[in-house]
Amino acid sequence: MTAPSRSSPDLLMFEEALPYEADGSFKSECPPDSKVKVEDLFKFSRTRGDLQVSIVAAGIALFFFFFYWTQTGWENRNLPDELGSYLAHQLGLIELDGRVTRLGRILKQSWVAPMLCLLVLVPAALWNLRLSLKEHKWRKRFLLPTSAYFELTKYAAALEFVVYFIVYTILVPVLGYLVSTLLLGMLLPWRLGYRSRQWMLRSFCSSLAVVIVFRTLLQIKTPISIWLYDQLPTALRGFMLTYF
Amino acid sequence: MKKITTLAALAASTVLSGALPAMAEYPEAPVQFVVPWPPGDFEDILTRMIAAEFQEQTGQSASVVNRPGGGDGPFPGALEVLDGPTDGSVVGSFVIGVPIVGPQIDIGMEEDSFTPVGIFLTYPFVLAASGDAGYSNMAELATYAQDNDVVLGHFGAGLTPTRASFAAAKLMGFEFADDAAFDLLDCNTLSSGDADVINTTLALIEPCLDDINVLANIGSEPIEKLDGVGTLAAQSGVNDIELWNGLFVKKGTPQEVIDVLSEIASATMASDEAQQLMAETGARVYWQGMDVSAARIETDRAKSAELDDIIAK
Amino acid sequence: MDAFLIGLESLLAPSVLIAIVIGSVGGVIIGAVPGIGPAIAIAILLPATVFLDDLVSLVLLLGVYGSSMYGGAIPAILINTPGTPVNALTTYDGYSMTRRGEASRALSLAYSASFFGGCFSIIAALIALFVFGPYLRDLGALFGQRDIMMAAILGAVLLIAAHRQTMGLAAMLFGFGFLIAMVGRQSSRKIDRFTFDIEYLYSGFNLIVVIVGIFALSQALNLMVGKDDDPPEARIAGGLLSGFKELAGKKVITLCSACYGTVMGIIPGVGEFVAQFFSYSTARTLSKEPARFGHGSSEGLIASETSNNAVPAAAMIPLLALGVPGEALTAMMMVVFFDAGIKPGPDIFENNPDFLFSLFSALLIINALVLLTLLVSTKYIAKMIYIPNRFLGAFVMILSFVGVYSIRNSLTDCVFAVIFGFIGYVLRRLDWPLVPIVLGLVLGSIILERLTAGSGQIKSAIDLINRPVSGTLFVVILLVIGFIIWTSFKNKRTEYQN
């Protein structure tokens, strides 16, 4: 950038304030920020899908709030008749005569703890939603991108693997732990793109290692009624059930 | 999801229907003993002994599976056995609460859902108070409780020993000011003042046995280790129902399975290891076969109903 | 004293020694591979440890926990990727040193600093055990149900306070964790919360299922959906012993950081991150060359590595003394304690003193073993950094299944674990903290249980706080809450002034 020509002197008020070097190159007056901010580790800024998930979270909190009244024994509650005066007595304000219900008998009822939890959860969820909405409005105002489409594609991608896991879970009692693990252990890396022979060999060996270490050596429990093993002759069936 | 368990049960039953005639030789497949509690307690130790003996005697692998129900006690584990096959490959190790209280709560269990193989353990439940409490037996407790607050600590209000304690209190004319359910009752509970009287097993208060007062023991016979401590039944007039643990199989399991299990389990209970457990901990280890157990369950059902009546009055 | 000797003796059992070796070497490798960390490894190993002897399983898990931070420094320094989340600060100074060609100097500094930090807190804990142990036995009577409930509430408040910028979020996630803890039915106590009459929910959600889901499976999904990194070749030349000499030259900063780590570890709810933050800031204040921080300052490296290794041993203290875990990893280990029949709490000093000595002595041995291993085999361990992420994710998924199934032999548990995994994945993408959910579950169940058990002696509201310990803790809770409110008002005011 070249220095502006001093064609109209009344525009130039402070000559020393010109940021240009004598040779015309630009030098900023603000030195670069070279301090490492440890605070950056703790920095938190709301990302794109935040509003949607905050809405879902607030929805779940309200769902539990709605069902609190029927699902926690609130209907069977056992509170003293004159709640106002009981509370006042507990706070030390007034004296009650006669038998006063022990606070413990009230606290141990099953609805107390959920009430305490919801007292923390619902306001926090609504507060979080408010902050998220504020951030969202701010972004919209400054025409920053607010579409959560990319996030949704990521969630869908993750759901695919969730489905694989659930299928694996259903397959184990049918095909047995060894076969299902070998299948998952080889299909999953194949799906992820590791398709060379070397990788197939590595997948096979590592899933086999998992089965041997956890099932054969450590004898971790796996389902015992396995359809595939039941098709085998008895002796082999016993062996497979014990060791695989 | 129920679908998965139904799928497994379906798979098991298709196998069964095909293989039933060949059920001559039990056991044919690995056997699982289901203990519906976390590992480490008496019933777990004894069931593991039985499983080890089973494996040795029959050559078929036997393992113990802990299926703790969290807050719901033994019922989830019992339901597992109920969902299992009737070929004797899944055996349950249950407390009295399962056949007696199980049918009363709405979980799909009937009074005859399980056939007892035998009963082998009585837990050494006692009522204890700290050493400097102003009472050392039930009568003194009754007098003390008339003018002072006494708080009872127990393992759950629906549990048999707890109900026995409440019934005893009713019969002796006093009331516990309040009661609380704990997950663990031991010396610390008494010394920290969380409860005045606790309803727990002897092993848990073993370390401080000399410093505390054992008021009564809940069962049909006094415990040898504690001399001078009478049973709750003797001191208060309540019936002598005990908390016991036994082996159960699902209704419909062939008699042959029950016989094999019974033989092995009774041998285990007579072994030195089991008897030593008895001597050390005050638990009673024995073996009552299928018929004796079935009769005992029926009498206990009546006793349990009697306790409920006393408390409800 | 005899307890100490008995404790040492039980360490000499072959299975324990093998567990020490596997734990340390395995832990270093797990830490060194970016993408998996101690949380995942412990989550997966936890169910398997039920079958092992108690000391063996604890030593194994502790080995993984304590040594993963050593290993995590390797990729942090070599390829600017923290191996475990707590090594994030190490990347600043460590990687800058690598870029200058001083990779081995950085590594040896990191190792020696970690070693010093780890040993410092272990020895401090051992001394405390020796000195205060006999007296703590009598203190046992002071800790009843209400006191521990207050300690758990304090832990919860501190946890939320530690998430300074995301307190509302942390509180909400803590609330969800608490809610999960409450689902269940207890027929013998006539309690039925949120089961909607679904049979699976009767026994509630198991802690390990949630942990494996939220930590391990979510990371597996994260790795599989993401891309493989293509880390550049890193060359390590030169000896690795120079670090110790340098460490001796910076005594003040080292000691300071170690103290921060130890103290922060003891306070429940706080953890490695806050410890590092404070020690890094303090080191920068104390240093003669503050401008170099972040650009290859040896003091910065020392500060971060010392403090984060001092935390594990110290974090065991609130777990052992009160039964209240200080952070997520120790919460997982609490499960092992219960399975071993060792009840964490004040009477542990009375009932199992030798166990405590074995534990801390084992930690000491683990630290030494890890250091030796690293001095010898860093080159080979550094090769592990290059395992592709997505393959790793698939592997973690397979391992998670066997872990979850072995808890309660329930296939439904596995399905729920992966559902929690998906939830954890969503949270990771949003940069929301995961720890409050797990600690909500753990601390929530502690609060629940202690409230029920303590309710017997609560006649009126004052009984909640009229015991010495619970009263003090209640005051501390009020002070912390007051502090939080005061600082957030102060921040709001300065915001407007700007």
Side-chain angles (χ1 to χ4, degrees):
Chain A
M1 272 178 73
T2 53
S5 53
R6 313 219 181 146
S7 47
S8 44
D10 42 321
L11 281 181
L12 188 61
M13 296 182 70
F14 302 106
E15 201 162 297
E16 341 36 53
L18 282 177
Y20 302 105
E21 294 285 322
D23 62 335
S25 63
F26 180 80
K27 181 171 185 266
S28 165
E29 281 193 332
C30 310
D33 192 346
S34 58
K35 251 175 63 162
V36 151
K37 291 218 176 64
V38 178
E39 291 80 2
D40 282 350
L41 261 192
F42 297 91
K43 183 177 58 174
F44 175 74
S45 57
R46 292 184 180 266
T47 55
R48 300 269 199 90
D50 196 283
L51 179 66
Q52 284 81 350
V53 179
S54 298
I55 293 177
V56 171
I60 296 178
L62 288 172
F63 169 83
F64 279 104
F65 178 73
F66 180 65
F67 277 101
Y68 168 80
W69 313 104
T70 48
Q71 286 290 332
T72 54
W74 174 254
E75 298 166 326
N76 303 330
R77 66 187 179 282
N78 193 351
L79 286 171
D81 295 324
E82 313 222 329
L83 198 51
S85 41
Y86 184 75
L87 277 175
H89 171 79
Q90 286 299 334
L91 291 171
L93 296 173
I94 62 175
E95 279 295 318
L96 289 180
D97 35 50
R99 261 186 84 165
V100 184
T101 326
R102 287 174 77 102
L103 186 61
R105 281 199 191 273
I106 299 178
L107 285 180
K108 72 160 83 109
Q109 293 177 36
S110 78
W111 51 267
V112 172
M115 171 172 274
L116 294 173
C117 168
L118 285 171
L119 272 174
V120 169
L121 178 61
V122 175
L126 292 174
W127 181 260
N128 179 55
L129 183 59
R130 173 169 173 261
L131 288 179
S132 190
L133 273 170
K134 218 163 79 166
E135 171 86 19
H136 181 81
K137 287 206 189 80
W138 191 91
R139 287 179 77 97
K140 269 178 68 169
R141 178 175 163 215
F142 286 99
L143 302 176
L144 291 171
T146 56
S147 157
Y149 177 72
F150 181 71
E151 295 296 311
L152 289 176
T153 53
K154 285 289 181 186
Y155 298 162
L159 271 177
E160 182 199 343
F161 294 103
V162 170
V163 169
Y164 289 157
F165 190 80
I166 296 182
V167 170
Y168 172 61
T169 306
I170 297 179
L171 271 183
V172 170
V174 175
L175 292 178
Y177 184 62
L178 176 67
V179 177
S180 335
T181 309
L182 284 175
L183 267 177
L184 185 75
M186 299 192 63
L187 284 179
L188 208 47
W190 191 86
R191 158 74 183 80
L192 290 170
Y194 300 100
R195 296 181 189 186
S196 64
R197 278 191 47 153
Q198 197 191 33
W199 274 112
M200 286 280 98
L201 192 62
R202 285 183 189 155
S203 324
F204 180 78
C205 290
S206 38
S207 11
L208 192 62
V210 167
V211 175
I212 291 185
V213 167
F214 283 98
R215 183 78 189 108
T216 319
L217 292 181
L218 288 178
Q219 287 279 302
I220 304 242
K221 303 279 174 292
T222 48
I224 56 162
S225 52
I226 298 178
W227 176 85
L228 186 66
Y229 292 171
D230 294 335
Q231 312 299 315
L232 301 171
T234 323
L236 194 57
R237 174 173 171 244
F239 174 75
M240 290 300 278
L241 272 176
T242 323
Y243 291 108
F244 289 109
Chain B
M1 285 175 192
K2 272 194 143 159
K3 267 199 138 186
I4 298 176
T5 19
T6 1
L7 188 64
L10 209 60
S13 50
T14 40
V15 167
L16 225 45
S17 50
L20 208 43
M23 201 47 68
E25 191 65 41
Y26 172 80
E28 275 189 317
V31 172
Q32 269 191 351
F33 290 85
V34 174
V35 174
W37 301 101
D41 203 6
F42 293 137
E43 76 284 331
D44 184 63
I45 299 176
L46 285 168
T47 315
R48 284 179 196 272
M49 278 192 216
I50 297 179
E53 183 80 16
F54 189 91
Q55 185 155 334
E56 220 180 280
Q57 296 279 354
T58 63
Q60 190 61 247
S61 127
S63 59
V64 169
V65 166
N66 293 95
R67 189 44 177 99
D72 208 16
F75 298 111
L79 285 175
E80 277 247 325
V81 178
L82 202 57
D83 284 337
T86 52
D87 61 356
S89 58
V90 180
V91 180
S93 181
F94 300 147
V95 291
I96 181 179
V98 170
I100 292 190
V101 177
Q104 294 172 352
I105 55 180
D106 222 350
I107 51 176
M109 220 182 268
E110 308 296 326
E111 288 189 359
D112 59 351
S113 296
F114 296 107
T115 318
V117 174
I119 299 179
F120 58 88
L121 167 69
T122 293
Y123 294 89
F125 261 86
V126 296
L127 274 170
S130 90
D132 49 1
Y135 39 88
S136 54
N137 58 40
M138 293 302 292
E140 290 176 18
L141 173 62
T143 341
Y144 185 84
Q146 302 295 343
D147 306 310
N148 302 291
D149 283 344
V150 178
V151 172
L152 176 71
H154 54 77
F155 284 117
L159 228 54
T160 308
T162 317
R163 289 186 300 142
S165 316
F166 283 132
K170 260 278 174 65
L171 286 177
M172 294 185 78
F174 71 93
E175 203 176 60
F176 288 108
D178 201 356
D179 62 278
F182 287 69
D183 273 3
L184 187 60
L185 287 160
D186 58 5
C187 298
N188 186 262
T189 322
L190 285 173
S191 60
S192 65
D194 285 323
D196 301 311
V197 176
I198 58 176
N199 191 334
T200 182
T201 54
L202 200 53
L204 293 170
I205 47 173
E206 182 76 43
C208 54
L209 208 47
D210 302 322
D211 305 323
I212 59 174
N213 286 331
V214 180
L215 305 174
N217 100 299
I218 301 178
S220 54
E221 292 166 21
I223 296 178
E224 281 166 29
K225 266 183 87 154
L226 315 162
D227 46 0
V229 174
T231 63
L232 190 64
Q235 295 189 46
S236 67
V238 82
N239 63 49
D240 61 351
I241 192 171
E242 303 187 316
L243 187 63
W244 46 255
N245 195 76
L247 281 182
F248 287 80
V249 287
K250 186 171 167 181
K251 171 178 77 170
T253 311
Q255 183 64 34
E256 181 217 4
V257 173
I258 300 182
D259 291 333
V260 171
L261 284 169
S262 188
E263 199 183 304
I264 295 177
S266 59
T268 319
M269 293 310 138
S271 71
D272 292 329
E273 230 183 314
Q275 293 298 315
Q276 196 185 9
L277 189 74
M278 177 161 100
E280 280 174 3
T281 61
R284 268 190 23 246
V285 172
Y286 48 85
W287 180 256
Q288 291 177 334
M290 183 175 98
D291 299 314
V292 179
S293 308
R296 185 175 179 186
I297 293 178
E298 288 311 311
T299 20
D300 281 346
R301 238 187 265 281
K303 288 185 188 171
S304 180
E306 192 188 317
L307 285 180
D308 287 333
D309 288 333
I310 299 178
I311 297 176
K313 267 207 289 265
Chain C
M1 189 61 206
D2 335 295
F4 182 56
L5 293 173
I6 301 177
L8 276 184
E9 219 185 294
S10 38
L11 277 185
L12 293 175
S15 48
V16 180
L17 291 173
I18 296 179
I20 290 181
V21 171
I22 297 182
S24 2
V25 177
V28 171
I29 295 178
I30 287 170
V33 180
I36 51 177
I40 299 178
I42 293 180
I44 293 179
L45 283 174
L46 203 48
T49 57
V50 174
F51 301 94
L52 301 170
D53 194 24
D54 6 303
L55 191 59
V56 173
S57 37
L58 267 166
V59 161
L60 190 63
L61 294 178
L62 272 174
V64 170
Y65 183 22
S67 51
S68 58
M69 290 172 237
Y70 282 91
I74 302 179
I77 290 173
L78 292 178
I79 57 174
N80 202 22
T81 315
T84 57
V86 307
N87 293 100
L89 258 183
T90 315
T91 58
Y92 289 174
D93 290 293
Y95 187 58
S96 314
M97 279 197 193
T98 307
R99 282 218 298 233
R100 287 207 299 255
E102 296 177 339
S104 39
R105 174 177 169 233
L107 281 173
S108 71
L109 261 176
Y111 297 158
S112 43
S114 305
F115 183 70
F116 182 83
C119 292
F120 183 86
S121 59
I122 297 173
I123 294 180
L126 274 173
I127 294 179
L129 264 184
F130 256 122
V131 171
F132 296 113
Y135 301 108
L136 284 165
R137 239 178 296 205
D138 308 323
L139 281 186
L142 277 182
F143 286 88
Q145 306 293 320
R146 289 163 276 171
D147 309 297
I148 299 188
M149 180 179 83
M150 279 295 164
I153 296 179
L154 177 62
V157 171
L158 283 172
L159 170 75
I160 296 178
H163 287 92
R164 267 139 108 247
Q165 286 166 351
T166 51
M167 273 197 276
L169 208 44
M172 176 176 82
L173 292 171
F174 181 86
F176 275 122
F178 198 163
L179 200 62
I180 298 174
M182 277 195 295
V183 173
R185 168 186 284 209
Q186 297 175 23
S187 320
S188 62
R189 299 186 197 174
K190 299 197 189 69
I191 289 181
D192 183 0
R193 300 182 179 115
F194 293 123
T195 57
F196 298 97
D197 292 325
I198 299 173
E199 202 179 296
Y200 172 75
L201 294 178
Y202 286 171
S203 42
F205 286 105
N206 184 282
L207 174 68
I208 303 183
V209 171
V210 178
I211 285 180
V212 172
I214 292 216
F215 283 129
L217 279 169
S218 70
Q219 180 67 342
L221 290 173
N222 204 14
L223 291 172
M224 284 192 285
V225 172
K227 288 200 286 275
D228 282 339
D229 308 323
D230 199 9
E233 270 294 321
R235 291 173 35 107
I236 311 173
L240 293 170
L241 286 171
S242 56
F244 283 98
K245 268 190 287 218
E246 266 195 86
L247 204 67
K250 313 262 183 215
K251 293 197 232 341
V252 178
I253 288 183
T254 320
L255 269 173
C256 233
S257 315
C259 286
Y260 269 123
T262 315
V263 170
M264 299 282 163
I266 296 182
I267 304 177
V270 183
E272 285 94 355
F273 285 111
V274 181
Q276 279 187 309
F277 173 67
F278 277 116
S279 76
Y280 199 80
S281 318
T282 314
R284 193 159 52 186
T285 330
L286 289 176
S287 159
K288 297 192 189 69
E289 301 175 308
R292 274 170 81 79
F293 272 63
H295 302 279
S297 156
S298 56
E299 288 151 338
L301 193 55
I302 294 175
S304 56
E305 281 295 312
T306 316
S307 51
N308 73 17
N309 275 74
V311 170
M316 300 296 291
I317 296 181
L319 174 64
L320 293 169
L322 292 177
V324 173
E327 40 111 51
L329 294 177
T330 29
M332 295 194 240
M333 285 190 257
M334 200 169 74
V335 179
V336 184
F337 278 109
F338 278 120
D339 284 341
I342 295 173
K343 178 188 155 207
D347 37 343
I348 201 175
F349 299 102
E350 173 147 6
N351 299 341
N352 312 83
D354 49 318
F355 177 79
L356 290 177
F357 283 113
S358 317
L359 208 61
F360 285 107
S361 316
L363 264 177
L364 208 55
I365 300 179
I366 287 170
N367 271 282
L369 197 61
V370 169
L371 188 67
L372 280 171
T373 316
L374 284 173
L375 288 176
V376 167
S377 57
T378 299
K379 276 209 194 63
Y380 305 107
I381 296 182
K383 288 212 170 48
M384 308 281 291
I385 306 177
Y386 302 103
I387 298 182
N389 279 353
R390 311 171 75 201
F391 183 75
L392 206 55
F395 200 58
V396 171
M397 187 172 254
I398 295 178
L399 284 174
S400 311
F401 173 83
V402 69
V404 174
Y405 187 78
S406 61
I407 306 165
R408 294 197 288 203
N409 303 298
S410 156
L411 291 168
T412 329
D413 273 351
C414 301
V415 175
F416 268 97
V418 80
I419 293 177
F420 279 112
F422 181 71
I423 294 175
Y425 174 69
V426 170
L427 293 182
R428 278 184 200 267
R429 278 209 74 85
L430 293 172
D431 209 17
W432 286 11
L434 290 174
V435 172
I437 298 188
V438 171
L439 275 182
L441 187 53
V442 174
L443 291 177
S445 39
I446 293 179
I447 294 175
L448 198 55
E449 185 193 312
R450 305 297 177 164
L451 183 63
T452 321
S455 64
Q457 291 284 21
I458 299 177
K459 199 161 152 182
S460 53
I462 198 75
D463 285 320
L464 280 166
I465 51 177
N466 64 1
R467 293 171 63 100
V469 176
S470 59
T472 331
L473 290 175
F474 184 66
V475 170
V476 173
I477 292 176
L478 289 178
L479 285 174
V480 172
I481 295 182
F483 182 72
I484 298 175
I485 298 180
W486 180 66
T487 42
S488 50
F489 269 129
K490 207 169 69 135
N491 286 342
K492 278 239 166 61
R493 247 187 298 135
T494 47
E495 244 178 70
Y496 288 137
Q497 278 171 4
N498 285 350

